[in-house]
Amino acid sequence: MRNAPTILHLDMDAFYASVEQASKPSLRGKAVVVGGLGPRGVVATASYEARVFGVHSAMPMAQARRLAPNAAYLVPRFTLYRSVSDQVMALLRALSPLVEPLSLDEAFVDLEAGSAAWDEESARLAGAKLRADIRAATGLTGSVGLAASKMLAKIASEEAKPDGMVLIEPGTERALLGPMPVRTLPGIGPATGDHLRRAGITTVEELAEAGEDELVRLLGKAHGHALYAMALARDDRPVVAERETKSVSVEDTYDVDIHDRLRVGLEVQRLAERCVRRLREAGLSGRTIVLKVRRYDFSTLTRSETLRGPTDDPAVIREAAARLLESVDTTGGVRLLGVGVSGLADYTQEDLFAQAAGERAASVEAPEEVVPEVTADPEPAQRHWRAGHDVRHAEYGHGWVQGSGLGRVTVRFETPQSPPGRVRTFLVDDPALEVAEPLPLVLDGVDSEV
């Protein structure tokens, strides 16, 4: 492990909820919960104001509503989140060539590799500048941890939350870790934590005192060795600039089980189209098509088909997904469907697959389609108003959906740079109202206060 605290861990504060607050002036300083709003939805992110009531990520949305009935409940806007994430990651890559993204809102940076820091003082300056640059570019706050290893940098950023910076000075690591619960260390989940607790080990200090041999006996050779090293603050894992994407997939959970076989087929084709869009956005193609089906009894089935070469052809992927669906019994109902592509490559064999598709069509005199092909028809999506999504009215301008039902939709008209706006209600089929793209959180260097 290096001596200088030049590993930086950035964690954007309550990222999805903070983006929504920056985007919607009327929600700043208020409880905001982002996630699936249906009966089976779960919380993706809760603002710090909502966490006061006990709401947290991965909680069932129904439970969140009971805890914080007056919070704003919004559907995620992943296009906007990715756009803001790209801005943040660009700032990180300006610091160093070694940036390891963990998610849209979290990453490690090796500051020494980019000559951005080499000791405590320069690391503090780099961390402070990064936080200021993120605020100027996005209007959002991020918490920064600085340490001599990835494990310690992540622990430091947790200590810094929200909107802070913590640097762990070399030589203080053991004293800092000692009283912390064992779950603080990476690789210790609920099951391992319970196992250690039954053995009388609840803190990192007790983990180190137990000794390597005892941990190997309790947890197995690989896990025992790794956790003993971490308990002693040893972590030599490097920052890895590129993580290979192994698959691209999309899935939907349905509020009510789908029983109609035709509807299931249509949903699979729609998911295949979304999966292709993600493939193409990433400049990838793949050989293996995967279908995931979770049935009414929570049993989950996975079927896959490997093609002769990589493709991003929507027709080929739709056909493969439809063939996979033929082997799945959906009689009792379906609660989740997913389509994915693995065996990824950065090239395609479109002619080969077009030819193969032609051969299949020619070999069947009157092909009987399992599901009809879905053509692009954005109109239903445009008239389905989702809470939190952007709209534009011909007279009142830009706004966002507060809610809809009983044939009406309620819209608050405001922008990231405006004061809190007025609320108006329209018929859901009002021709003057249309879906809009999200607006930038910051314009011309003007800060968007969260």
Side-chain angles (χ1 to χ4, degrees), residues 182 187-188 191-197 199 201 207 211-228:
V182 293
I188 300 186
T192 302
D194 287 343
H195 190 47
L196 290 170
R197 181 180 51 78
I201 299 171
L207 197 66
E212 190 169 14
D213 291 343
E214 177 66 7
L215 294 180
V216 168
R217 186 187 69 80
L218 286 170
L219 305 171
K221 188 173 181 179
H223 206 187
H225 284 314
L227 290 185
Y228 181 67

PDB file of all heavy atoms in Angstrom, residues 182 187-188 191-197 199 201 207 211-228:
ATOM      1  N   VAL A 182     -17.803  -4.450  11.819  1.00  0.00           N
ATOM      2  CA  VAL A 182     -17.173  -5.274  10.786  1.00  0.00           C
ATOM      3  C   VAL A 182     -17.808  -5.058   9.420  1.00  0.00           C
ATOM      4  O   VAL A 182     -17.148  -5.187   8.388  1.00  0.00           O
ATOM      5  CB  VAL A 182     -17.212  -6.775  11.152  1.00  0.00           C
ATOM      6  CG1 VAL A 182     -16.336  -7.075  12.347  1.00  0.00           C
ATOM      7  CG2 VAL A 182     -18.653  -7.231  11.394  1.00  0.00           C
ATOM      8  N   GLY A 187     -16.869  -6.729   1.417  1.00  0.00           N
ATOM      9  CA  GLY A 187     -16.870  -8.191   1.424  1.00  0.00           C
ATOM     10  C   GLY A 187     -17.571  -8.789   2.625  1.00  0.00           C
ATOM     11  O   GLY A 187     -17.708 -10.010   2.716  1.00  0.00           O
ATOM     12  N   ILE A 188     -18.023  -7.952   3.575  1.00  0.00           N
ATOM     13  CA  ILE A 188     -18.774  -8.462   4.731  1.00  0.00           C
ATOM     14  C   ILE A 188     -20.226  -8.018   4.590  1.00  0.00           C
ATOM     15  O   ILE A 188     -20.572  -6.862   4.842  1.00  0.00           O
ATOM     16  CB  ILE A 188     -18.179  -7.965   6.061  1.00  0.00           C
ATOM     17  CG1 ILE A 188     -16.739  -8.426   6.202  1.00  0.00           C
ATOM     18  CG2 ILE A 188     -19.018  -8.480   7.229  1.00  0.00           C
ATOM     19  CD1 ILE A 188     -16.107  -8.097   7.543  1.00  0.00           C
ATOM     20  N   ALA A 191     -24.925 -11.892   5.929  1.00  0.00           N
ATOM     21  CA  ALA A 191     -24.706 -13.280   6.348  1.00  0.00           C
ATOM     22  C   ALA A 191     -23.357 -13.431   7.050  1.00  0.00           C
ATOM     23  O   ALA A 191     -23.257 -14.033   8.129  1.00  0.00           O
ATOM     24  CB  ALA A 191     -24.784 -14.215   5.146  1.00  0.00           C
ATOM     25  N   THR A 192     -22.288 -12.883   6.439  1.00  0.00           N
ATOM     26  CA  THR A 192     -20.958 -12.972   7.049  1.00  0.00           C
ATOM     27  C   THR A 192     -20.936 -12.202   8.362  1.00  0.00           C
ATOM     28  O   THR A 192     -20.326 -12.643   9.349  1.00  0.00           O
ATOM     29  CB  THR A 192     -19.887 -12.413   6.097  1.00  0.00           C
ATOM     30  OG1 THR A 192     -19.926 -13.140   4.876  1.00  0.00           O
ATOM     31  CG2 THR A 192     -18.504 -12.536   6.700  1.00  0.00           C
ATOM     32  N   GLY A 193     -21.596 -11.029   8.386  1.00  0.00           N
ATOM     33  CA  GLY A 193     -21.652 -10.254   9.622  1.00  0.00           C
ATOM     34  C   GLY A 193     -22.308 -11.026  10.750  1.00  0.00           C
ATOM     35  O   GLY A 193     -21.827 -11.012  11.896  1.00  0.00           O
ATOM     36  N   ASP A 194     -23.421 -11.718  10.464  1.00  0.00           N
ATOM     37  CA  ASP A 194     -24.096 -12.524  11.480  1.00  0.00           C
ATOM     38  C   ASP A 194     -23.214 -13.677  11.943  1.00  0.00           C
ATOM     39  O   ASP A 194     -23.172 -14.011  13.141  1.00  0.00           O
ATOM     40  CB  ASP A 194     -25.419 -13.073  10.930  1.00  0.00           C
ATOM     41  CG  ASP A 194     -26.486 -11.999  10.797  1.00  0.00           C
ATOM     42  OD1 ASP A 194     -26.322 -10.927  11.419  1.00  0.00           O
ATOM     43  OD2 ASP A 194     -27.464 -12.230  10.061  1.00  0.00           O
ATOM     44  N   HIS A 195     -22.493 -14.304  10.996  1.00  0.00           N
ATOM     45  CA  HIS A 195     -21.597 -15.413  11.324  1.00  0.00           C
ATOM     46  C   HIS A 195     -20.504 -14.942  12.282  1.00  0.00           C
ATOM     47  O   HIS A 195     -20.188 -15.613  13.272  1.00  0.00           O
ATOM     48  CB  HIS A 195     -21.001 -15.975  10.037  1.00  0.00           C
ATOM     49  CG  HIS A 195     -20.261 -17.261  10.215  1.00  0.00           C
ATOM     50  ND1 HIS A 195     -20.760 -18.322  10.938  1.00  0.00           N
ATOM     51  CD2 HIS A 195     -19.031 -17.658   9.770  1.00  0.00           C
ATOM     52  CE1 HIS A 195     -19.892 -19.314  10.936  1.00  0.00           C
ATOM     53  NE2 HIS A 195     -18.825 -18.930  10.235  1.00  0.00           N
ATOM     54  N   LEU A 196     -19.927 -13.765  11.994  1.00  0.00           N
ATOM     55  CA  LEU A 196     -18.877 -13.224  12.858  1.00  0.00           C
ATOM     56  C   LEU A 196     -19.446 -12.816  14.218  1.00  0.00           C
ATOM     57  O   LEU A 196     -18.798 -13.001  15.257  1.00  0.00           O
ATOM     58  CB  LEU A 196     -18.220 -12.030  12.179  1.00  0.00           C
ATOM     59  CG  LEU A 196     -17.363 -12.340  10.947  1.00  0.00           C
ATOM     60  CD1 LEU A 196     -16.963 -11.048  10.235  1.00  0.00           C
ATOM     61  CD2 LEU A 196     -16.114 -13.137  11.338  1.00  0.00           C
ATOM     62  N   ARG A 197     -20.647 -12.254  14.222  1.00  0.00           N
ATOM     63  CA  ARG A 197     -21.255 -11.844  15.495  1.00  0.00           C
ATOM     64  C   ARG A 197     -21.466 -13.039  16.409  1.00  0.00           C
ATOM     65  O   ARG A 197     -21.229 -12.958  17.624  1.00  0.00           O
ATOM     66  CB  ARG A 197     -22.589 -11.143  15.218  1.00  0.00           C
ATOM     67  CG  ARG A 197     -23.302 -10.657  16.479  1.00  0.00           C
ATOM     68  CD  ARG A 197     -24.614  -9.969  16.137  1.00  0.00           C
ATOM     69  NE  ARG A 197     -25.448 -10.776  15.263  1.00  0.00           N
ATOM     70  CZ  ARG A 197     -26.174 -11.814  15.675  1.00  0.00           C
ATOM     71  NH1 ARG A 197     -26.161 -12.168  16.952  1.00  0.00           N
ATOM     72  NH2 ARG A 197     -26.914 -12.500  14.817  1.00  0.00           N
ATOM     73  N   ALA A 199     -19.661 -15.529  16.540  1.00  0.00           N
ATOM     74  CA  ALA A 199     -18.332 -15.897  17.042  1.00  0.00           C
ATOM     75  C   ALA A 199     -17.772 -14.839  17.979  1.00  0.00           C
ATOM     76  O   ALA A 199     -16.604 -14.930  18.413  1.00  0.00           O
ATOM     77  CB  ALA A 199     -17.374 -16.116  15.870  1.00  0.00           C
ATOM     78  N   ILE A 201     -17.384 -11.543  17.261  1.00  0.00           N
ATOM     79  CA  ILE A 201     -16.602 -10.528  16.553  1.00  0.00           C
ATOM     80  C   ILE A 201     -17.560  -9.502  15.958  1.00  0.00           C
ATOM     81  O   ILE A 201     -18.334  -9.810  15.042  1.00  0.00           O
ATOM     82  CB  ILE A 201     -15.758 -11.169  15.435  1.00  0.00           C
ATOM     83  CG1 ILE A 201     -14.783 -12.187  16.029  1.00  0.00           C
ATOM     84  CG2 ILE A 201     -15.000 -10.106  14.648  1.00  0.00           C
ATOM     85  CD1 ILE A 201     -14.066 -13.025  14.982  1.00  0.00           C
ATOM     86  N   LEU A 207     -11.873  -8.201  14.836  1.00  0.00           N
ATOM     87  CA  LEU A 207     -11.554  -9.011  13.663  1.00  0.00           C
ATOM     88  C   LEU A 207     -10.037  -9.207  13.560  1.00  0.00           C
ATOM     89  O   LEU A 207      -9.563 -10.325  13.302  1.00  0.00           O
ATOM     90  CB  LEU A 207     -12.079  -8.310  12.405  1.00  0.00           C
ATOM     91  CG  LEU A 207     -12.225  -9.119  11.114  1.00  0.00           C
ATOM     92  CD1 LEU A 207     -13.300 -10.186  11.270  1.00  0.00           C
ATOM     93  CD2 LEU A 207     -12.588  -8.198   9.956  1.00  0.00           C
ATOM     94  N   GLY A 211      -7.198 -13.013  14.629  1.00  0.00           N
ATOM     95  CA  GLY A 211      -6.066 -13.650  13.963  1.00  0.00           C
ATOM     96  C   GLY A 211      -6.454 -14.293  12.640  1.00  0.00           C
ATOM     97  O   GLY A 211      -7.611 -14.664  12.412  1.00  0.00           O
ATOM     98  N   GLU A 212      -5.462 -14.411  11.783  1.00  0.00           N
ATOM     99  CA  GLU A 212      -5.707 -14.929  10.439  1.00  0.00           C
ATOM    100  C   GLU A 212      -6.186 -16.371  10.455  1.00  0.00           C
ATOM    101  O   GLU A 212      -7.114 -16.745   9.730  1.00  0.00           O
ATOM    102  CB  GLU A 212      -4.436 -14.784   9.605  1.00  0.00           C
ATOM    103  CG  GLU A 212      -4.632 -15.061   8.135  1.00  0.00           C
ATOM    104  CD  GLU A 212      -3.416 -14.643   7.318  1.00  0.00           C
ATOM    105  OE1 GLU A 212      -2.346 -14.399   7.906  1.00  0.00           O
ATOM    106  OE2 GLU A 212      -3.558 -14.557   6.090  1.00  0.00           O
ATOM    107  N   ASP A 213      -5.575 -17.206  11.293  1.00  0.00           N
ATOM    108  CA  ASP A 213      -5.954 -18.632  11.321  1.00  0.00           C
ATOM    109  C   ASP A 213      -7.410 -18.816  11.718  1.00  0.00           C
ATOM    110  O   ASP A 213      -8.134 -19.641  11.142  1.00  0.00           O
ATOM    111  CB  ASP A 213      -5.034 -19.399  12.283  1.00  0.00           C
ATOM    112  CG  ASP A 213      -3.602 -19.499  11.775  1.00  0.00           C
ATOM    113  OD1 ASP A 213      -3.401 -19.267  10.559  1.00  0.00           O
ATOM    114  OD2 ASP A 213      -2.701 -19.777  12.583  1.00  0.00           O
ATOM    115  N   GLU A 214      -7.849 -18.043  12.714  1.00  0.00           N
ATOM    116  CA  GLU A 214      -9.233 -18.163  13.170  1.00  0.00           C
ATOM    117  C   GLU A 214     -10.205 -17.701  12.095  1.00  0.00           C
ATOM    118  O   GLU A 214     -11.267 -18.314  11.880  1.00  0.00           O
ATOM    119  CB  GLU A 214      -9.435 -17.347  14.451  1.00  0.00           C
ATOM    120  CG  GLU A 214     -10.852 -17.329  14.973  1.00  0.00           C
ATOM    121  CD  GLU A 214     -11.357 -18.689  15.448  1.00  0.00           C
ATOM    122  OE1 GLU A 214     -10.547 -19.653  15.491  1.00  0.00           O
ATOM    123  OE2 GLU A 214     -12.559 -18.800  15.751  1.00  0.00           O
ATOM    124  N   LEU A 215      -9.861 -16.623  11.389  1.00  0.00           N
ATOM    125  CA  LEU A 215     -10.740 -16.131  10.327  1.00  0.00           C
ATOM    126  C   LEU A 215     -10.812 -17.107   9.166  1.00  0.00           C
ATOM    127  O   LEU A 215     -11.863 -17.288   8.555  1.00  0.00           O
ATOM    128  CB  LEU A 215     -10.279 -14.756   9.850  1.00  0.00           C
ATOM    129  CG  LEU A 215     -10.385 -13.624  10.882  1.00  0.00           C
ATOM    130  CD1 LEU A 215      -9.888 -12.312  10.292  1.00  0.00           C
ATOM    131  CD2 LEU A 215     -11.818 -13.471  11.373  1.00  0.00           C
ATOM    132  N   VAL A 216      -9.696 -17.757   8.855  1.00  0.00           N
ATOM    133  CA  VAL A 216      -9.703 -18.786   7.805  1.00  0.00           C
ATOM    134  C   VAL A 216     -10.597 -19.951   8.232  1.00  0.00           C
ATOM    135  O   VAL A 216     -11.356 -20.502   7.429  1.00  0.00           O
ATOM    136  CB  VAL A 216      -8.271 -19.257   7.508  1.00  0.00           C
ATOM    137  CG1 VAL A 216      -8.294 -20.527   6.654  1.00  0.00           C
ATOM    138  CG2 VAL A 216      -7.487 -18.160   6.802  1.00  0.00           C
ATOM    139  N   ARG A 217     -10.526 -20.324   9.510  1.00  0.00           N
ATOM    140  CA  ARG A 217     -11.370 -21.417  10.001  1.00  0.00           C
ATOM    141  C   ARG A 217     -12.852 -21.047   9.924  1.00  0.00           C
ATOM    142  O   ARG A 217     -13.699 -21.868   9.550  1.00  0.00           O
ATOM    143  CB  ARG A 217     -10.997 -21.744  11.451  1.00  0.00           C
ATOM    144  CG  ARG A 217     -11.723 -22.973  12.017  1.00  0.00           C
ATOM    145  CD  ARG A 217     -11.442 -23.143  13.492  1.00  0.00           C
ATOM    146  NE  ARG A 217     -12.059 -22.092  14.281  1.00  0.00           N
ATOM    147  CZ  ARG A 217     -13.352 -22.092  14.624  1.00  0.00           C
ATOM    148  NH1 ARG A 217     -14.160 -23.066  14.212  1.00  0.00           N
ATOM    149  NH2 ARG A 217     -13.848 -21.108  15.351  1.00  0.00           N
ATOM    150  N   LEU A 218     -13.156 -19.786  10.251  1.00  0.00           N
ATOM    151  CA  LEU A 218     -14.553 -19.352  10.264  1.00  0.00           C
ATOM    152  C   LEU A 218     -15.119 -19.110   8.867  1.00  0.00           C
ATOM    153  O   LEU A 218     -16.281 -19.416   8.596  1.00  0.00           O
ATOM    154  CB  LEU A 218     -14.685 -18.059  11.075  1.00  0.00           C
ATOM    155  CG  LEU A 218     -14.588 -18.158  12.596  1.00  0.00           C
ATOM    156  CD1 LEU A 218     -14.501 -16.758  13.210  1.00  0.00           C
ATOM    157  CD2 LEU A 218     -15.787 -18.909  13.164  1.00  0.00           C
ATOM    158  N   LEU A 219     -14.285 -18.553   7.976  1.00  0.00           N
ATOM    159  CA  LEU A 219     -14.805 -18.030   6.716  1.00  0.00           C
ATOM    160  C   LEU A 219     -14.223 -18.689   5.467  1.00  0.00           C
ATOM    161  O   LEU A 219     -14.659 -18.382   4.355  1.00  0.00           O
ATOM    162  CB  LEU A 219     -14.535 -16.518   6.635  1.00  0.00           C
ATOM    163  CG  LEU A 219     -15.070 -15.681   7.801  1.00  0.00           C
ATOM    164  CD1 LEU A 219     -14.561 -14.248   7.711  1.00  0.00           C
ATOM    165  CD2 LEU A 219     -16.594 -15.701   7.821  1.00  0.00           C
ATOM    166  N   GLY A 220     -13.253 -19.554   5.624  1.00  0.00           N
ATOM    167  CA  GLY A 220     -12.609 -20.151   4.457  1.00  0.00           C
ATOM    168  C   GLY A 220     -11.306 -19.427   4.135  1.00  0.00           C
ATOM    169  O   GLY A 220     -11.074 -18.286   4.574  1.00  0.00           O
ATOM    170  N   LYS A 221     -10.490 -20.068   3.358  1.00  0.00           N
ATOM    171  CA  LYS A 221      -9.129 -19.571   3.128  1.00  0.00           C
ATOM    172  C   LYS A 221      -9.110 -18.196   2.454  1.00  0.00           C
ATOM    173  O   LYS A 221      -8.522 -17.242   2.962  1.00  0.00           O
ATOM    174  CB  LYS A 221      -8.359 -20.582   2.276  1.00  0.00           C
ATOM    175  CG  LYS A 221      -6.880 -20.258   2.133  1.00  0.00           C
ATOM    176  CD  LYS A 221      -6.151 -21.386   1.415  1.00  0.00           C
ATOM    177  CE  LYS A 221      -4.664 -21.064   1.301  1.00  0.00           C
ATOM    178  NZ  LYS A 221      -3.920 -22.154   0.624  1.00  0.00           N
ATOM    179  N   ALA A 222      -9.759 -18.083   1.285  1.00  0.00           N
ATOM    180  CA  ALA A 222      -9.669 -16.838   0.520  1.00  0.00           C
ATOM    181  C   ALA A 222     -10.297 -15.668   1.286  1.00  0.00           C
ATOM    182  O   ALA A 222      -9.695 -14.598   1.433  1.00  0.00           O
ATOM    183  CB  ALA A 222     -10.335 -17.000  -0.832  1.00  0.00           C
ATOM    184  N   HIS A 223     -11.521 -15.881   1.780  1.00  0.00           N
ATOM    185  CA  HIS A 223     -12.232 -14.815   2.483  1.00  0.00           C
ATOM    186  C   HIS A 223     -11.526 -14.448   3.787  1.00  0.00           C
ATOM    187  O   HIS A 223     -11.389 -13.267   4.146  1.00  0.00           O
ATOM    188  CB  HIS A 223     -13.670 -15.256   2.754  1.00  0.00           C
ATOM    189  CG  HIS A 223     -14.622 -14.114   2.888  1.00  0.00           C
ATOM    190  ND1 HIS A 223     -15.934 -14.269   3.270  1.00  0.00           N
ATOM    191  CD2 HIS A 223     -14.465 -12.786   2.695  1.00  0.00           C
ATOM    192  CE1 HIS A 223     -16.539 -13.096   3.303  1.00  0.00           C
ATOM    193  NE2 HIS A 223     -15.657 -12.177   2.969  1.00  0.00           N
ATOM    194  N   GLY A 224     -11.066 -15.451   4.520  1.00  0.00           N
ATOM    195  CA  GLY A 224     -10.390 -15.208   5.791  1.00  0.00           C
ATOM    196  C   GLY A 224      -9.116 -14.408   5.625  1.00  0.00           C
ATOM    197  O   GLY A 224      -8.864 -13.447   6.361  1.00  0.00           O
ATOM    198  N   HIS A 225      -8.279 -14.781   4.639  1.00  0.00           N
ATOM    199  CA  HIS A 225      -7.042 -14.044   4.366  1.00  0.00           C
ATOM    200  C   HIS A 225      -7.340 -12.594   4.000  1.00  0.00           C
ATOM    201  O   HIS A 225      -6.696 -11.662   4.494  1.00  0.00           O
ATOM    202  CB  HIS A 225      -6.264 -14.710   3.231  1.00  0.00           C
ATOM    203  CG  HIS A 225      -5.542 -15.967   3.625  1.00  0.00           C
ATOM    204  ND1 HIS A 225      -4.794 -16.051   4.773  1.00  0.00           N
ATOM    205  CD2 HIS A 225      -5.463 -17.187   3.027  1.00  0.00           C
ATOM    206  CE1 HIS A 225      -4.279 -17.282   4.871  1.00  0.00           C
ATOM    207  NE2 HIS A 225      -4.673 -17.981   3.823  1.00  0.00           N
ATOM    208  N   ALA A 226      -8.326 -12.394   3.106  1.00  0.00           N
ATOM    209  CA  ALA A 226      -8.632 -11.055   2.607  1.00  0.00           C
ATOM    210  C   ALA A 226      -9.144 -10.152   3.730  1.00  0.00           C
ATOM    211  O   ALA A 226      -8.706  -8.993   3.857  1.00  0.00           O
ATOM    212  CB  ALA A 226      -9.663 -11.133   1.487  1.00  0.00           C
ATOM    213  N   LEU A 227     -10.057 -10.671   4.565  1.00  0.00           N
ATOM    214  CA  LEU A 227     -10.620  -9.835   5.624  1.00  0.00           C
ATOM    215  C   LEU A 227      -9.599  -9.542   6.713  1.00  0.00           C
ATOM    216  O   LEU A 227      -9.613  -8.448   7.301  1.00  0.00           O
ATOM    217  CB  LEU A 227     -11.853 -10.511   6.221  1.00  0.00           C
ATOM    218  CG  LEU A 227     -13.081 -10.554   5.305  1.00  0.00           C
ATOM    219  CD1 LEU A 227     -14.278 -11.128   6.040  1.00  0.00           C
ATOM    220  CD2 LEU A 227     -13.423  -9.164   4.782  1.00  0.00           C
ATOM    221  N   TYR A 228      -8.698 -10.463   6.987  1.00  0.00           N
ATOM    222  CA  TYR A 228      -7.664 -10.190   7.977  1.00  0.00           C
ATOM    223  C   TYR A 228      -6.757  -9.055   7.493  1.00  0.00           C
ATOM    224  O   TYR A 228      -6.425  -8.140   8.260  1.00  0.00           O
ATOM    225  CB  TYR A 228      -6.837 -11.445   8.239  1.00  0.00           C
ATOM    226  CG  TYR A 228      -5.761 -11.234   9.280  1.00  0.00           C
ATOM    227  CD1 TYR A 228      -6.095 -10.997  10.609  1.00  0.00           C
ATOM    228  CD2 TYR A 228      -4.414 -11.261   8.924  1.00  0.00           C
ATOM    229  CE1 TYR A 228      -5.108 -10.792  11.570  1.00  0.00           C
ATOM    230  CE2 TYR A 228      -3.420 -11.050   9.873  1.00  0.00           C
ATOM    231  CZ  TYR A 228      -3.774 -10.819  11.195  1.00  0.00           C
ATOM    232  OH  TYR A 228      -2.793 -10.597  12.137  1.00  0.00           O
TER     233      TYR A 228
END
